[in-house]
Amino acid sequence: MAAAALLSFHTVSPFPPILSSPIITIKPRAVLNEARKMRVPYELKQGQSRLFHELPSGLNMEVIMQKGAADERNKRKIENPPLIFVHGSYHAAWCWAEHWIPFFSASGYDCYAISLLGQGESDEPAGSVAGTLQTHAGDVADFIRRKLMSPPVLLGHSFGALIIQYYIANIKNDQFLDLENLYPKLAGAVLVCSVPPSGNSGLIWRYLFTKPVAAFKVTRSLAAKAFQTSLPLCKETFFSAAMEDHLVLRYQELMKESSRMPLFDLRKLNASLPVPSVPKSSIELLVLGANDDFIVDGEGLKETGTFYGVSPISVEGVAHDMMLDCSWEKGANVILSWLSGLSTIR
């Protein structure tokens, strides 16, 4: 019974498998529905702006942006790659705007946080789900291709990191098919608390046999969406124990409103694992995990690092929502150090 419950969770959870179909992007049709925005609005911070990128489908995708600070020594902006942030399930662009976008923009990086379709302030497509890994990655690629002048670094969290893995795999495929412009080149990628490339089956069985209580809690929290109504469960699922309750309540309300429709039909994706492999060192990549992650365990983090031929880094004292947690700067500093090394390689 426990196995069935957890497997049920993973058909509606933020841990989908990777779609490995051809690279033809399916464009959803717009829905003329004015009652589609978040009822709990996110107020932007100083220096941030919200724009809406019109996709080829006619749908508008929310983007929160903040330009990089100028170098005070010579009064010109530092030459850094732009950063694009992709959220996971039950989140939207706001989760990056809270701490990490101000942090990285202050360090000279132009920052863009995307809300996937059907999430945050983005439009909803027709149908019962927001799209597929293929269409979401295609939407990110469309923004890069039409709005950016130089290759960016993609940073994804949880499910957003899976979208990035799909994107990376299709850069290779595009090169082989001489269709490189469909998925523009990247300066690098950061996978934050990502689901392993093989999917979630390993996580499922490890939780069932080693942490059955945690397995039940994860199922209740995410599959039944109990995190939306239970403050203790929301904190345990996404945040550190030291996180202040008033912050958990605020983010809980925003998470309720962020995902107005499922990102995709996970049952249609289960047979398409694992993620297509890429040549080692084909892209500069950072695999970053959280030592107190309640969802993605250490074995999952190790698997992702091994798959891409890099040594993963696990940050002490932070939980799954590393970018919102009370010690959010720990992960941000690791990424900033990696980005500094990336600039020397370039």
Side-chain angles (χ1 to χ4, degrees), residues 285-326:
L285 194 140
L286 172 64
V287 176
L288 192 64
N291 196 59
D292 298 330
D293 196 331
F294 190 65
I295 299 175
V296 180
D297 63 7
E299 286 298 313
L301 176 66
K302 181 179 178 182
E303 179 188 331
T304 303
T306 301
F307 185 84
Y308 289 104
V310 299
S311 298
I313 297 175
S314 185
V315 182
E316 298 284 343
V318 290
H320 186 69
D321 270 19
M322 187 185 298
M323 64 286 184
L324 290 172
D325 210 12
C326 49

Side-chain angles (χ1 to χ4, degrees), residues 19-295:
L19 187 64
S20 58
S21 54
I23 311 169
I24 300 173
T25 303
I26 301 170
K27 301 300 181 185
R29 292 175 296 176
V31 174
L32 300 177
N33 177 14
E34 293 302 321
R36 62 178 181 261
K37 306 302 183 183
M38 292 173 63
R39 292 172 295 180
V40 179
Y42 180 79
E43 299 297 331
L44 300 181
K45 296 183 178 296
Q46 184 175 1
Q48 296 178 353
S49 58
R50 179 181 283 113
L51 60 90
F52 292 90
H53 174 68
E54 184 176 353
L55 298 165
S57 63
L59 295 169
N60 288 316
M61 186 169 67
E62 178 193 20
V63 181
I64 297 177
M65 67 171 291
Q66 187 166 356
K67 302 297 285 184
D71 185 348
E72 292 300 323
R73 293 170 297 181
N74 54 23
K75 302 300 181 182
R76 69 177 180 83
K77 194 173 67 176
I78 306 168
E79 293 297 329
N80 289 321
L83 308 182
I84 298 182
F85 299 84
V86 184
H87 64 84
S89 293
Y90 305 120
H91 293 67
W94 63 264
C95 72
W96 306 105
E98 187 77 349
H99 298 300
W100 279 18
I101 283 183
F103 175 86
F104 288 109
S105 65
S107 298
Y109 293 88
D110 290 347
C111 297
Y112 304 87
I114 289 172
S115 288
L116 300 168
L117 290 181
Q119 325 299 308
E121 299 291 346
S122 291
D123 287 345
E124 296 178 18
S128 59
V129 296
T132 65
L133 283 173
Q134 183 182 12
T135 60
H136 289 310
D139 292 342
V140 173
D142 183 76
F143 176 77
I144 295 172
R145 186 169 57 250
R146 294 168 59 191
K147 298 297 186 184
L148 300 185
M149 300 299 294
S150 59
V153 173
L154 280 180
L155 300 93
H157 174 253
S158 194
F159 163 66
L162 282 173
I163 293 178
I164 291 175
Q165 291 185 47
Y166 179 86
Y167 188 113
I168 292 170
N170 279 283
I171 294 175
K172 180 195 69 171
N173 292 339
D174 284 347
Q175 291 171 345
F176 179 75
L177 297 172
D178 197 26
L179 296 171
E180 187 176 346
N181 62 321
L182 288 181
Y183 287 86
K185 289 182 179 179
L186 302 176
V190 181
L191 308 179
V192 181
C193 300
S194 178
V195 176
S198 67
N200 44 32
S201 59
L203 296 171
I204 291 172
W205 294 109
R206 282 195 298 274
Y207 269 61
L208 285 172
F209 287 107
T210 64
K211 299 185 288 185
V213 174
F216 171 78
K217 286 183 177 180
V218 168
T219 303
R220 179 168 173 262
S221 180
L222 298 176
K225 300 183 180 180
F227 78 88
Q228 296 182 350
T229 55
S230 170
L231 176 66
L233 194 55
C234 184
K235 178 185 285 191
E236 189 171 12
T237 302
F238 297 106
F239 306 109
S240 299
M243 188 78 164
E244 296 181 12
D245 285 354
H246 72 93
L247 291 175
V248 178
L249 283 169
R250 177 171 176 248
Y251 299 145
Q252 183 184 47
E253 287 299 313
L254 288 168
M255 284 190 277
K256 287 179 188 178
E257 296 296 321
S258 290
S259 184
R260 300 182 307 281
M261 63 192 307
L263 287 170
F264 37 45
D265 184 347
L266 299 180
R267 289 182 175 87
K268 294 182 178 180
L269 305 178
N270 284 336
S272 59
L273 297 174
V275 179
S277 61
V278 297
K280 296 293 187 291
S281 303
S282 63
I283 183 172
E284 296 297 328
L285 194 140
L286 172 64
V287 176
L288 192 64
N291 196 59
D292 298 330
D293 196 331
F294 190 65
I295 299 175

